[in-house]
């Protein structure tokens, strides 16, 4: 089995004097409570017993800049 990582980006404009540390724990709590896991149904996959993978939240990070590099198959 291979591990697939899903990256979602949430953004908000905040006052210049607000620090990431002031919102980080609040964001982490909110995301963990609302998006702890989700399941998808892959309709064109031949093995029906494994066609609905469950994605579970591993980590939440907050910052002002980020770069994500996504690979292929």
């Amino acid at each position: 089995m291979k591990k697939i990582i899903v990256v979602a980006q949430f953004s908000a404009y905040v006052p210049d004097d607000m620090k990431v540390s002031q919102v980080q724990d609040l964001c982490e709590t909110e995301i963990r409570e609302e998006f702890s896991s989700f399941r998808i149904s892959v309709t064109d996959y031949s093995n029906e017993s494994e066609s609905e993978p469950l994605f579970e939240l591993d980590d939440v990070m907050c910052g002002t800049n980020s770069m994500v590099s996504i690979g292929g198959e």
Side-chain angles (χ1 to χ4, degrees):
M1 290 242 168
K2 65 180 149 195
K3 184 176 186 176
I4 293 178
I5 299 169
V6 177
V7 177
Q9 180 176 319
F10 296 88
S11 62
Y13 291 98
V14 299
D16 288 332
D17 59 347
M18 185 179 289
K19 298 177 183 174
V20 172
S21 61
Q22 291 176 292
V23 300
Q24 185 167 357
D25 289 341
L26 297 169
C27 289
E28 182 173 340
T29 299
E30 185 71 20
I31 291 168
R32 287 190 185 281
E33 288 177 0
E34 297 295 325
F35 301 104
S36 63
S37 66
F38 65 92
R39 187 177 295 277
I40 61 170
S41 180
V42 181
T43 57
D44 59 347
Y45 184 67
S46 60
N47 186 345
E48 286 188 29
S49 67
E50 295 184 358
S51 66
E52 294 186 351
L54 175 66
F55 289 80
E56 296 180 297
L57 182 63
D58 286 329
D59 198 6
V60 177
M61 292 177 255
C62 290
T64 55
N65 293 315
S66 64
M67 183 180 129
V68 176
S69 178
I70 308 235
E73 299 290 321

